[in-house]
Amino acid sequence: MNKLTEFEKYVIEQKGTERPFSGEYVDHNAQGIYCCKKCEAPLYKSEHKFNAHCGWPAFDDEIAGAVDRTMDADGRRVEITCHQCGGHLGHVFEGERLTDKNIRHCVNSVSMVFKPVNELIQVATSTTEKATFGAGCFWCVEAIFAQLNGVLSVQSGYCGGDARDANYDAVCSGKTAHAEVVHITFDPNIISYETLLTVLFESHDPTTLNQQGNDKGPQYRSVIFAHNSQQVDAANAFIEYLTAQQIWPNPIVTQISAFDTFYAAESYHDDYFAKHGEQPYCQLVVKPKFNKVMAKFAEIRKR
């Protein structure tokens, strides 16, 4: 997650609105992709943009699955938010007949960051992949994977449940279907998925059902959310290998599920161990595990 300014927080996290005609992208017409300012998820293509003369950037289409819609509490307008992180974008209007698609996404410039075509071409030449793991409290798991060379980003969040329950209080109740997870972007040319699995199983106990240490509940379950069939095969093969090695006296209970949707955790969870390492839980639980795993994988740790 990108660090936001106070005004960006006001608009993106508190659902504020920038003044009309004040935004950077009102009259912007370069070729490229408009992405979420908070999480950089692609939202709109430049060919979707048109001049609605309304004072804010306007788009008559979106990248498939990128934008969520929610009716405002007063029932008068429909809010649009980033599907990946939930950041506020603006509102969507239909029936104005401004374009053939008859729809207008009215978006705050401050909610977006633009990626020009030349930058997208550079990104396209470098392969990245995703991995999503649950292994107990995400504060610890995020801290570990963020240190690995080849890991480009790690985001704490929730997976395996519905959007309406994707918040910390609901998940911690143990009554939702979510697991606390880390959502990892990595470069497979530097670090393999199998290496990530090795670190995963070294950093938690995969034999305790819905529990890691004193943290108990289904949200703490051991789970791998596979993004493709290759990851399913790799995870199954890895678990079969570990089982044959009889590393643990009890059977491995790690779930392997198809990845569906990741819901980013609240911003105060970001880099939690790095920011709050002196707190008792971090000192007693996170730090010993972090130090143990870092010592084990010192050769692949970022310099």
Side-chain angles (χ1 to χ4, degrees):
M1 290 291 179
N2 292 324
K3 186 175 182 180
L4 303 178
T5 66
E6 289 304 311
F7 182 67
E8 289 167 349
K9 289 180 181 178
Y10 163 70
V11 174
I12 298 171
E13 297 181 348
Q14 300 173 30
K15 305 184 186 302
T17 303
E18 64 190 8
R19 290 182 295 104
F21 299 101
S22 67
E24 178 181 4
Y25 301 127
V26 175
D27 298 317
H28 190 256
N29 58 9
Q31 297 298 303
I33 299 289
Y34 294 85
C35 301
C36 174
K37 175 66 71 64
K38 186 174 182 179
C39 71
E40 297 195 0
L43 301 171
Y44 304 101
K45 297 179 181 179
S46 53
E47 53 262 41
H48 298 156
K49 194 172 187 295
F50 70 98
N51 191 348
H53 304 285
C54 62
W56 293 273
F59 304 86
D60 68 356
D61 207 345
E62 68 202 74
I63 293 174
V67 177
D68 289 339
R69 293 162 169 77
T70 306
M71 182 66 69
D72 279 350
D74 60 11
R76 298 175 60 187
R77 298 188 301 174
V78 177
E79 181 194 9
I80 47 177
T81 55
C82 171
H83 176 74
Q84 178 161 295
C85 72
H88 175 72
L89 302 175
H91 289 84
V92 63
F93 303 91
E94 299 185 43
E96 297 175 326
R97 302 191 182 280
L98 297 175
T99 71
D100 291 340
K101 294 180 181 179
N102 202 21
I103 191 169
R104 174 171 61 98
H105 289 243
C106 184
V107 186
N108 290 286
S109 289
V110 75
S111 295
M112 301 182 294
V113 60
F114 181 74
K115 305 281 187 179
V117 168
N118 60 341
E119 183 177 331
L120 294 172
I121 293 173
Q122 293 176 359
V123 171
T125 60
S126 64
T127 303
T128 61
E129 295 182 14
K130 300 286 188 183
T132 306
F133 303 138
C137 176
F138 46 36
W139 295 343
C140 181
V141 187
E142 179 194 60
I144 289 171
F145 281 100
Q147 290 295 316
L148 303 181
N149 191 30
V151 169
L152 306 179
S153 67
V154 185
Q155 176 62 48
S156 292
Y158 318 108
C159 206
D162 296 327
R164 65 179 182 273
D165 296 322
N167 64 81
Y168 191 63
D169 290 339
V171 173
C172 282
S173 73
K175 297 178 181 179
T176 78
H178 295 92
E180 288 193 13
V181 300
V182 291
H183 195 50
I184 301 166
T185 302
F186 67 100
D187 185 343
N189 297 310
I190 300 175
I191 189 168
S192 68
Y193 186 70
E194 287 74 14
T195 299
L196 295 178
L197 289 174
T198 302
V199 175
L200 171 69
F201 282 96
E202 187 68 34
S203 61
H204 81 297
D205 184 350
T207 70
T208 53
L209 183 65
N210 297 333
Q211 179 180 353
Q212 287 298 308
N214 291 324
D215 293 330
K216 299 179 181 179
Q219 71 271 28
Y220 298 120
R221 66 187 181 271
S222 176
V223 59
I224 297 168
F225 289 99
H227 289 254
N228 51 50
S229 60
Q230 291 79 14
Q231 290 190 0
V232 172
D233 293 342
N236 278 313
F238 199 82
I239 290 175
E240 289 177 6
Y241 167 77
L242 293 177
T243 300
Q245 296 297 308
Q246 297 182 334
I247 297 173
W248 297 278
N250 298 316
I252 294 173
V253 297
T254 303
Q255 297 176 355
I256 302 175
S257 301
F259 176 83
D260 184 5
T261 305
F262 169 77
Y263 303 103
E266 296 79 355
S267 59
Y268 62 84
H269 293 293
D270 296 344
D271 303 316
Y272 194 88
F273 177 58
K275 297 175 180 176
H276 307 286
E278 299 306 314
Q279 290 194 0
Y281 181 89
C282 291
Q283 284 290 308
L284 296 174
V285 178
V286 180
K287 186 176 181 179
K289 185 182 294 187
F290 175 84
N291 289 341
K292 176 185 175 182
V293 176
M294 288 300 97
K296 179 85 172 181
F297 297 99
E299 72 280 3
I300 61 171
R301 188 174 183 180
K302 292 176 181 175
R303 305 301 178 187

